[in-house]
Every structure is written in structure tokens, then in C-alpha cells.
Amino acid sequence: MGISQKQISLLYAIALKESGLADEDVKLIIKQYSYESTKEIKQSDFDPILAAVKTAAKYLTVAQRKELQQWWRNEGIADSTAKKTISGMGYNSTAQILRSEINGVKSVILQEAEKLVGTK
């Protein structure tokens, strides 16, 4: 049996208001559970998906990841340099970066780019 409309509303209320996620972020989370729509979510998967939404609030949203990528491009830093730096910091992707660590990540990317170019 699928989740109720009330549960769908709760999921989006927590995602959008409490977690600061966008619809795009919620869609990515439910796709991890092999669903294309919240209407497809089985009752047995609701609690794990809700927990994933709450956990996702700690990490960069899709929009923030796009902003980060645009930032390094605006700084003239090659995608390969930024991605190698991020990987060297222990992240498999920008999706694993904590929101609280974004400024530190930017700082390290700038430092690595400066090493490659000599000056920035």
C-alpha cells in the first residue's frame, strides 16, 4: 500500500521548510529508493525516506552544488582541479559536502588552484 496524501505533505513540509531542500532534492532522494514519484512510495519505505530527507539537510542541496561549481568556474578554476581537490578532501562528490563546510572547501580549492597556477 502506498503512503497517504498526509504523509506526502509531511515529507514535503519537512524537506522544504525544515531541511531547506528543493523539490529536485526530494526527487533525488526518492529515486535512491527506486521511486519516480512520492505517490509510488510504499508504506514500508516512508520512514527510511523521511529519515533520508532529514539527513540530507546537513549536506549541500542540488542548487548549492550548482552554485559551488559556478563559483569555481567564475574563479577560473578548471573542473578537473576542483573535483580532484574535493576528492582529495575525502568527498566522492559535491553531494557529500556538509553545508557547514562549504567555505572551508572553497578555501582549499582556491589554495590548490593557486599552487597549480603560481598566483591567483
Side-chain angles (χ1 to χ4, degrees):
M1 180 175 172
I3 62 174
S4 68
Q5 185 59 46
K6 188 174 181 178
Q7 287 173 304
I8 292 171
S9 296
L10 174 64
L11 182 71
Y12 273 98
I14 289 173
L16 302 176
K17 293 185 176 125
E18 292 180 26
S19 298
L21 303 175
D23 188 54
E24 185 178 14
D25 298 303
V26 176
K27 287 178 181 177
L28 284 175
I29 292 168
I30 66 171
K31 278 187 178 201
Q32 293 173 353
Y33 289 84
S34 301
Y35 297 113
E36 293 297 319
S37 165
T38 54
K39 294 176 185 175
E40 299 172 357
I41 298 173
K42 293 179 184 174
Q43 193 65 47
S44 60
D45 287 330
F46 178 72
D47 287 338
I49 290 173
L50 186 61
V53 165
K54 290 178 180 179
T55 299
K58 298 176 185 176
Y59 300 94
L60 298 182
T61 64
V62 172
Q64 289 169 322
R65 295 192 313 258
K66 288 177 184 175
E67 287 173 17
L68 177 61
Q69 184 179 48
Q70 190 58 49
W71 168 82
W72 77 57
R73 288 177 175 170
N74 288 344
E75 291 290 324
I77 299 168
D79 286 352
S80 59
T81 300
K83 290 177 181 180
K84 183 178 177 183
T85 303
I86 289 167
S87 177
M89 295 176 73
Y91 301 111
N92 290 328
S93 74
T94 54
Q96 293 184 327
I97 299 172
L98 293 169
R99 290 182 189 181
S100 61
E101 296 177 356
I102 188 64
N103 290 331
V105 169
K106 285 181 175 181
S107 178
V108 173
I109 290 171
L110 279 174
Q111 289 172 7
E112 290 303 310
E114 289 173 356
K115 286 180 190 175
L116 289 174
V117 190
T119 61
K120 180 78 181 114

